[in-house]
Amino acid sequence: MTDRAALTDSPVSPAEAAALIRGRRTIDRFKTDEVPDMALVHEAIELARWAPNHHTTEPWRFCLIGERTKAGIIELNTRLLTASKGAQVAEAKRERWQSMPGWLAVTCTPNDDPITAREDYAACACAIENLMLYLHSAGVGTKWASGAVTREPEFLELLDAGPGEYCVGLIWYGYAQRRPRSQRQAVENIVRTLD
């Protein structure tokens, strides 16, 4: 086995990193108490921005969502769902969304070059994963939502997004009421070894 210290200055072992990555799950039910330490959320954002991004474009923007904006998003989503799936579904979703304790959104700045734009989206996704892993390490669960409401112009207006900016994810965070189990397919099903 190779001496890890000779290869990297990582402060965690591979086993610790693996446990952190495998342990992070999408939380679908949160306790009602909010995360009291907003410094923790700010630190998660600070670490999110260390995600890889080609040409150091830093395309991500983070929006901490307060009660007024949260209410506007819930109202918008309720209107959309009432029109597409009916009042009963919309009201159930409204109740569920109102119970989400912490809210933030990650948007991506526009780029006219299609290759850079694609790389910027990927960079934002990496930033979200950094954010979620850090919060998980502190005992805070997350859910990354990217439903139809996040693509609505009115949603972007609520976030005070700049021209061409679009939402990569609406992130809910808080303490898990339950931690779901998850499985992944076998590695040999997803790896091609080429000569």
Side-chain angles (χ1 to χ4, degrees):
M1 188 153 168
T2 308
D3 179 16
R4 182 175 61 87
L7 297 177
T8 180
D9 60 356
S10 176
V12 298
S13 71
E16 291 167 324
L20 181 68
I21 292 166
R22 285 192 185 108
R24 192 213 60 78
R25 299 272 58 85
T26 294
I27 303 304
D28 58 356
R29 299 280 181 223
F30 292 94
K31 294 178 182 175
T32 55
D33 33 340
E34 294 182 9
V35 175
D37 184 5
M38 282 308 290
L40 175 71
V41 177
H42 283 271
E43 179 70 7
I45 292 169
E46 196 283 324
L47 293 165
R49 68 193 183 94
W50 289 97
N53 59 113
H54 196 63
H55 297 300
T56 321
T57 56
E58 298 187 63
W60 40 69
R61 298 297 179 267
F62 298 87
C63 182
L64 294 168
I65 297 172
E67 289 302 316
R68 187 172 58 89
T69 303
K70 173 181 169 179
I73 293 169
I74 291 171
E75 182 57 38
L76 172 60
N77 194 59
T78 301
R79 286 195 324 263
L80 293 171
L81 282 175
T82 299
S84 66
K85 297 188 178 179
Q88 189 173 3
V89 170
E91 197 50 43
K93 187 71 77 163
R94 175 195 293 271
E95 288 179 26
R96 182 160 153 66
W97 282 29
Q98 285 173 332
S99 72
M100 297 298 182
W103 290 55
L104 69 87
V106 179
T107 62
C108 186
T109 58
N111 195 297
D112 291 335
D113 177 64
I115 293 172
T116 302
R118 185 174 174 172
E119 290 169 344
D120 285 351
Y121 175 84
C124 287
C126 290
I128 291 171
E129 180 69 358
N130 281 2
L131 179 132
M132 294 190 307
L133 282 170
Y134 183 73
L135 289 175
H136 168 62
S137 77
V140 175
T142 53
K143 178 174 178 135
W144 177 351
S146 58
V149 71
T150 66
R151 292 182 290 281
E152 288 291 317
E154 188 177 336
F155 177 85
L156 294 167
E157 287 171 20
L158 287 165
L159 297 184
D160 196 26
E165 207 172 313
Y166 63 93
C167 184
V168 178
L170 173 61
I171 313 299
W172 291 307
Y173 62 91
Y175 299 110
Q177 198 174 72
R178 68 182 188 98
R179 190 163 293 286
R181 294 176 187 247
S182 186
Q183 295 186 117
R184 297 294 188 265
Q185 60 181 306
V187 172
E188 53 270 12
N189 293 343
I190 61 169
V191 173
R192 283 191 293 269
T193 303
L194 307 173
D195 292 334

